Amino acid sequence: MAVMSRSRTVIYIALGICAGALLSMLCVPLETGCGVDSYVHVGTKRKTSAVDMIDYGTDENGNQLNDEDFEPVLMTVNRPVVKKDIDRQRLIRMRYISSELSIKEKLFVGVMVSREEIDLESTTVGINKTLSHYVSKLVFFTKTNSEQSLSGMTIIAFPGEQVNVRMFQIWKYIYEHHGSDYDWFLVIQDDTYIYGDVFMEFLGHMSVGRDLYMGIPIHEAEMDVTFCSRDAGYMLSRNLLAKVGPYWEDCMRKSWNNVPDLEFGRCIQDHSNSHCSTNYEGSTFYAYDFEDKVLTDKEKNDADFQQALAIHHVMDTRTMYKLHKYFSERSLSQTLKQIAELQQNIEEISAYAPGGKSKLTWPVGVQGPFKTTSRFDVMGWEYFSMTHLYGLDDYEPKSPLIGANKQDIDEILTTTMARLNELHGNIYMLGRLVNGYRRFDPNRGMEYTLDMELKLHGDKREILKRVHLLRPLNKVEIVFMPYVTEYTQVTIIVPVVSGSQEQVRVFLDNYARICLETRDKSAVMLIFVYTPTEAMTMATEDIYSANKGYVSYLERKYPGSHLSWISVKTSLPSPIAIMDVVSKKFASDTLFLFTNANMEIAAEFLNRVRMNTIAGWQVFFPIPFSQYDPKIIYADLPNPNRIDISKTAGHFDTYLFEHASFYNSDYMNARKLWDEKHPGSETDHIQSDLDLFEMFLSTKLHTFRAVDPALKLHYHQRICQPSLKEEQYQRCLEGRAVGLASKAQLAMLVLEQQQKLAAEKGNI
C-alpha cells in the first residue's frame, strides 16, 4: 500500500509538469517574446541592427530573407533594465504658517492729514499715540514731503490740492502695497478719535470674505448713489478692495464732482454693485460728532456717545487725550467688574465640585501654586527688610536693597497700605516692616508674605498684620522680530596681546577643526597688538612671527579659507579702540563677533550669534562660562583639558562684557552717537570692555545679554589697568577674585595652607 501511495504522488507531479510544459509550448507561437520584450533586446549574430519591423530585408545577393535565416540572441548587457520614473511634484512649503493658511492681519488704518506740517501738538500725533498699539498698521498720508520725520510714524506724501485725486491716490497705494495683507481697510480724517480696543472687538464679530463698504451712509438721489461720509471714516473689506482696486486710476480720471466721497462711492457701486451700509451681521458702525463740544458728564451719559466707534471733529490733541483716558478707564472698570462676577461664579460653583470650597485657591480664578514632585523642585523664599535682601545668591547672603529690587518692594508696600485703607476706612499708617518674604512661582507669578506693624491714626496702639500678595504673570505676547537665518557669515575678531601667543595657536587649531574642515561660513581676523616698545623692535624681533606663520600655513592647507591679520600699535587695547581700526576695513553689512583667544570655538555658539544679532535691531552680549584656575581646582586631580559646566569647574562670568556680536553698520552709528555724547579725545575715556556695552545701550538698538552654555573660556589671569575709572577698576578686581575658584575651593586651599604652616611650626 505504501508503494502504491508513493507512485500515485509521483504520477500527479509528472502530470503537472507535463501540463505546464504543454501550456508553455502553446503560448510561444501565439505571443512572440512571451513577456520578454519589455526588458530584453532581440538581436542576431549578423552585424545588423535590432529587429524593429516585420520586413526582414534582403541578403547580399538580393534574396528575400525570412525569420528562418536569423538566429535570435538575448542581449541584456548593453540595455539594462530601466525603471519607470514616477514624476511627482515636489511640495514647496511656505516660510510662515500664516502664509500657507492665508491668515491675514486684521486692520489697516490710513489717516488723511489736513495740516501742512506735523508737530507734537497736532491731532496726528495724538492719533498715533492712542491708536497705533491697537491696530495692525497705521499710515499717515500727507500733502507735502516733510523734512522732519517723527519717530514711530509711517508717513506717505501725495502732493497736490485736488481732494479727489489725492483720495484715489491713497486708495491706489493701499491696494498696490497692502491689498493682500489685511482683512479690513479703514481711512479716517486726522480729527477723528477711535478707541482701538473697542473697534478691534467690533471687527472680531464680523466675518471676512464678503464685499463690505461700511460707514455712515449718505444717499444722493439724483445719481442714485449711497456713499459713506469721510468725516467719521469708512471701511472696506479685502474682497471688495480686490474687486475695485484695479479701477481706482480709471475712476480718478472720470471723476468730475467736487464731493470726493460721492465719487468714491460711485466708483465702488459701478464696479462691484456695493453701496455704503452701517449694519452688517448685527454689528452697527456708530459715529459721534464732537464739534463745538467738551467732555462733560452730559456727554458721558449720552447714549450715542457711549456706543460710538468713531468720534469726529476732535479739534485739539488735549481733547483727544481726554477722550482716550475716559474710554480706557471705562474699559478697565468693565474688565474689573467682569473679573469680580467670574470670581463670584467660581466660588458658588466650587461648592458642588470635588473637594468643595476647601480646594479653592487664592486668588480666585488664578492658577494654583506649583506642586513640587521632589526635593529638587522646592522653591525657596527670599527674606527681605526695608533695607536689605537675604539669600539672593550664594556669593552675597546679605545685599543692600537697591535698584529694581527696591522698586519692587516699595511698590508692594504702597499697594498693601492702599488696599488696607480701602477696606478699613483709611485708619492705618505704616509703622515698620517686621518680616518680608517673596518667591517666584512659575505657575502664578511673584508671591509675597508681609508681616507689618501698623499704627492707627490718632492712636498710639500698634497692630500686627500678615498680608499675602500676588503679582500675577501677564498674558504671553509674541514680540515681533525681523527674520534672520543661520547662513550669515560671522567675522571673528580676536585681539592678541603679548603673552597669549600659545593660546592663539590652540584657538586656530580648534577653529580649523570646527569651521575650516566643515566649511562653516565664518572668517577670522587676528589683531596683533603692539605696545610702543614692542613696535620699535618689530622689524628685528617680531613677537608674533610664529602666529603669523601658522596663519599662512592654514591658508595653504585650507584653500578658500578667510584668515587674515593686522598689526595695531596702542597702549590701551580696548574693544572700541580695536574696532575703530577694524570697522573701516569691512562692509557695513558685516557681522562681527568680538572675542578673545581663550574661547572654545563651538558651531552651536556661532549659530546662536547669527540668530541673536539682527542688523538695525539687536546686538548680542553673551555671558560666558569661565573656567577657574586649573592650578587650584586640579591641584590634586589630573587636568581633563576640557571645560565641563559644573560649579566646581567654573562659573558664568557676569563681569565680562568683551564678548559681543553686532553688525558693522550698527557699530558705526553707535560710535558716532557715542562721540557726540563724549566729546574730547577719542581714546582717553575708552579703556574698559564695559564701554562697548554702554555704547550700545545709549542707542535705540535692543541689547540682548544672556547666559550661553556653548561659550566657554579657558582660564587666564585678568589684568586690571590702574588707569581705569575707580568704579571700573574695583569691578575688575572683584571679577578677577571671583574667577579664581569657588568659595569652598578657596576655603579648602586656605585651610591646607594653615595646616602646612602649623605643621612647619610644630617641626621647628
Side-chain angles (χ1 to χ4, degrees):
M1 293 295 294
V3 174
M4 291 180 65
S5 176
R6 292 174 181 173
S7 61
R8 288 177 182 175
T9 303
V10 173
I11 291 172
Y12 293 151
I13 294 174
L15 289 175
I17 294 174
C18 294
L22 179 62
L23 289 173
S24 63
M25 292 175 65
L26 292 174
C27 178
V28 169
L30 294 176
E31 292 187 36
T32 305
C34 197
V36 196
D37 293 345
S38 59
Y39 57 89
V40 300
H41 179 67
V42 180
T44 67
K45 285 186 178 180
R46 297 173 179 265
K47 294 182 180 180
T48 58
S49 60
V51 179
D52 295 327
M53 301 179 64
I54 301 299
D55 185 8
Y56 296 103
T58 59
D59 58 7
E60 292 86 346
N61 300 323
N63 298 322
Q64 184 72 27
L65 299 176
N66 54 40
D67 56 352
E68 296 180 356
D69 297 322
F70 294 89
E71 181 180 351
V73 178
L74 295 179
M75 300 175 63
T76 60
V77 178
N78 295 330
R79 183 173 291 186
V81 178
V82 179
K83 296 182 180 180
K84 293 184 179 180
D85 186 15
I86 301 176
D87 185 18
R88 297 180 179 178
Q89 293 183 353
R90 183 182 177 186
L91 179 62
I92 301 176
R93 298 296 299 271
M94 299 292 183
R95 174 176 291 177
Y96 302 105
I97 191 172
S98 59
S99 302
E100 187 168 319
L101 300 180
S102 298
I103 299 174
K104 310 297 181 182
E105 296 287 347
K106 181 63 74 175
L107 178 63
F108 174 96
V109 178
V111 182
M112 298 179 65
V113 181
S114 58
R115 293 192 178 191
E116 297 294 334
E117 295 291 337
I118 300 176
D119 53 41
L120 295 177
E121 298 299 325
S122 66
T123 54
T124 306
V125 176
I127 292 175
N128 183 63
K129 289 185 176 180
T130 57
L131 186 61
S132 60
H133 52 287
Y134 290 106
V135 300
S136 307
K137 183 73 172 179
L138 182 61
V139 177
F140 296 89
F141 298 98
T142 61
K143 296 180 181 179
T144 58
N145 291 310
S146 177
E147 297 180 357
Q148 179 184 5
S149 60
L150 299 177
S151 176
M153 296 178 62
T154 304
I155 300 176
I156 305 296
F158 288 107
E161 294 297 332
Q162 296 184 7
V163 183
N164 287 12
V165 174
R166 182 164 174 258
M167 182 190 61
F168 281 113
Q169 285 178 337
I170 290 174
W171 277 105
K172 182 183 177 183
Y173 171 86
I174 295 174
Y175 169 70
E176 293 178 348
H177 293 82
H178 305 284
S180 60
D181 299 333
Y182 301 89
D183 288 330
W184 305 100
F185 300 87
L186 174 68
V187 171
I188 60 176
Q189 300 284 94
D190 61 350
D191 62 352
T192 303
Y193 169 77
I194 291 179
Y195 183 52
D197 191 22
V198 174
F199 199 90
M200 295 302 289
E201 184 180 358
F202 166 76
L203 292 180
H205 295 283
M206 300 170 64
S207 302
V208 298
R210 304 289 181 88
D211 296 344
L212 182 63
Y213 174 34
M214 198 170 195
I216 303 301
I218 300 175
H219 183 70
E220 212 289 327
E222 184 178 348
M223 301 177 63
D224 193 21
V225 175
T226 302
F227 61 93
C228 291
S229 171
R230 61 173 174 165
D231 290 340
Y234 47 85
M235 184 173 64
L236 266 64
S237 65
R238 175 163 46 89
N239 275 31
L240 182 59
L241 181 62
K243 289 182 178 180
V244 186
Y247 304 101
W248 289 139
E249 192 168 353
D250 183 57
C251 292
M252 180 176 62
R253 289 195 301 266
K254 294 180 180 180
S255 63
W256 55 269
N257 198 293
N258 58 357
V259 182
D261 304 343
L262 174 61
E263 291 296 329
F264 184 79
R266 186 164 65 92
C267 180
I268 291 178
Q269 186 169 313
D270 291 345
H271 294 94
S272 68
N273 200 28
S274 298
H275 56 82
C276 179
S277 62
T278 189
N279 295 291
Y280 177 69
E281 294 183 349
S283 300
T284 304
F285 187 97
Y286 292 104
Y288 186 82
D289 190 353
F290 205 74
E291 188 173 9
D292 299 330
K293 296 178 182 178
V294 294
L295 188 61
T296 60
D297 292 337
K298 179 182 178 181
E299 300 295 334
K300 294 178 182 178
N301 296 326
D302 190 338
D304 294 336
F305 177 79
Q306 291 288 336
Q307 63 185 0
L309 292 175
I311 300 176
H312 53 97
H313 291 146
V314 181
M315 306 311 297
D316 59 272
T317 310
R318 186 177 182 84
T319 304
M320 188 168 289
Y321 291 155
K322 286 183 177 180
L323 288 170
H324 188 67
K325 179 183 178 183
Y326 167 73
F327 282 103
S328 298
E329 290 176 347
R330 190 186 71 171
S331 178
L332 178 61
S333 177
Q334 292 174 352
T335 302
L336 294 176
K337 183 179 178 181
Q338 292 175 357
I339 292 175
E341 292 175 354
L342 289 173
Q343 288 179 334
Q344 184 178 356
N345 292 337
I346 291 173
E347 290 181 355
E348 294 175 356
I349 295 173
S350 64
Y352 306 98
K357 289 189 176 182
S358 60
K359 294 294 184 180
L360 199 63
T361 59
W362 179 89
V364 178
V366 178
Q367 188 174 359
F370 174 76
K371 295 182 179 180
T372 59
T373 57
S374 66
R375 62 187 180 90
F376 300 104
D377 298 334
V378 176
M379 297 177 296
W381 289 84
E382 294 176 1
Y383 180 81
F384 61 88
S385 64
M386 297 287 288
T387 57
H388 288 83
L389 269 172
Y390 299 86
L392 187 61
D393 54 50
D394 296 336
Y395 299 104
E396 293 292 339
K398 178 181 178 182
S399 56
L401 189 63
I402 57 175
N405 289 318
K406 179 174 176 54
Q407 183 180 356
D408 176 39
I409 302 305
D410 289 344
E411 185 179 354
I412 289 299
L413 291 174
T414 303
T415 303
T416 301
M417 292 305 302
R419 183 61 174 163
L420 286 174
N421 285 318
E422 180 184 348
L423 294 174
H424 299 283
N426 198 24
I427 61 174
Y428 292 123
M429 292 187 303
L430 177 61
R432 66 186 181 92
L433 178 64
V434 181
N435 298 302
Y437 309 90
R438 71 174 184 178
R439 73 172 182 181
F440 178 76
D441 189 313
N443 286 347
R444 296 153 56 89
M446 189 69 80
E447 297 178 343
Y448 304 86
T449 299
L450 307 179
D451 294 331
M452 306 177 67
E453 186 181 275
L454 304 176
K455 295 180 180 180
L456 297 173
H457 287 287
D459 198 336
K460 295 183 178 180
R461 288 182 302 167
E462 296 178 347
I463 299 175
L464 292 176
K465 279 189 174 293
R466 168 162 284 194
V467 182
H468 299 281
L469 299 96
L470 173 68
R471 190 193 294 272
L473 293 172
N474 288 331
K475 182 181 178 181
V476 177
E477 297 181 4
I478 299 176
V479 179
F480 169 77
M481 295 292 287
Y483 180 77
V484 293
T485 66
E486 296 181 350
Y487 302 104
T488 307
Q489 178 169 303
V490 180
T491 301
I492 306 173
I493 306 300
V494 183
V496 183
V497 297
S498 178
S500 62
Q501 292 92 327
E502 187 61 32
Q503 190 61 38
V504 172
R505 174 67 178 265
V506 176
F507 173 85
L508 291 174
D509 286 338
N510 290 334
Y511 177 75
R513 178 172 51 86
I514 300 298
C515 298
L516 296 183
E517 293 182 0
T518 60
R519 298 183 181 275
D520 183 78
K521 293 193 67 174
S522 60
V524 168
M525 172 173 275
L526 301 177
I527 314 298
F528 296 112
V529 180
Y530 294 86
T531 63
T533 304
E534 294 168 346
M536 293 176 63
T537 61
M538 183 174 61
T540 57
E541 185 180 354
D542 190 354
I543 59 175
Y544 302 117
S545 59
N547 295 137
K548 296 176 181 178
Y550 194 61
V551 170
S552 301
Y553 164 74
L554 291 177
E555 287 179 329
R556 293 191 301 270
K557 184 177 180 181
Y558 300 99
S561 59
H562 301 281
L563 293 170
S564 59
W565 58 266
I566 60 173
S567 299
V568 175
K569 184 181 74 171
T570 177
S571 57
L572 297 173
S574 66
I576 293 183
I578 292 174
M579 285 306 305
D580 285 344
V581 178
V582 174
S583 63
K584 300 174 183 177
K585 300 181 179 297
F586 290 90
S588 60
D589 60 347
T590 303
L591 172 57
F592 287 127
L593 169 61
F594 193 92
T595 183
N596 58 42
N598 301 295
M599 180 187 75
E600 278 192 356
I601 291 288
E604 179 185 356
F605 172 64
L606 294 180
N607 285 334
R608 207 140 39 222
V609 165
R610 296 181 178 102
M611 300 301 293
N612 291 334
T613 312
I614 306 172
W617 185 268
Q618 180 172 285
V619 295
F620 182 38
F621 281 81
I623 299 175
F625 184 82
S626 297
Q627 184 188 34
Y628 287 140
D629 189 351
K631 296 179 181 178
I632 298 177
I633 62 176
Y634 299 123
D636 301 325
L637 298 172
N639 191 339
N641 293 323
R642 69 175 187 273
I643 302 176
D644 296 323
I645 296 181
S646 67
K647 63 180 181 179
T648 59
H651 71 297
F652 286 102
D653 198 342
T654 57
Y655 293 91
L656 285 181
F657 290 86
E658 61 182 359
H659 305 275
S661 61
F662 45 85
Y663 278 85
N664 194 16
S665 57
D666 294 335
Y667 174 82
M668 290 187 290
N669 294 333
R671 186 70 171 93
K672 181 179 179 181
L673 182 63
W674 181 265
D675 285 339
E676 293 175 356
K677 292 183 178 181
H678 300 80
S681 175
E682 295 185 356
T683 58
D684 58 356
H685 59 276
I686 302 172
Q687 300 179 12
S688 172
D689 59 342
L690 187 59
D691 289 325
L692 182 64
F693 181 73
E694 292 179 345
M695 183 183 75
F696 281 111
L697 280 180
S698 64
T699 66
K700 295 182 180 180
L701 296 171
H702 296 266
T703 304
F704 180 38
R705 181 160 169 81
V707 167
D708 197 314
L711 176 56
K712 302 176 183 179
L713 302 181
H714 291 277
Y715 175 79
H716 68 287
Q717 187 176 5
R718 199 169 304 178
I719 300 175
C720 299
Q721 298 289 347
S723 57
L724 291 171
K725 299 176 184 177
E726 181 62 26
E727 181 182 352
Q728 295 177 349
Y729 183 69
Q730 293 298 327
R731 177 179 153 274
C732 181
L733 293 177
E734 186 177 350
R736 184 170 66 181
V738 171
L740 284 174
S742 65
K743 288 188 175 182
Q745 291 167 332
L746 292 175
M748 290 298 298
L749 182 62
V750 171
L751 182 60
E752 291 175 1
Q753 294 294 332
Q754 290 178 347
Q755 290 176 350
K756 289 180 180 180
L757 291 175
E760 291 176 358
K761 289 181 179 179
N763 293 332
I764 294 175

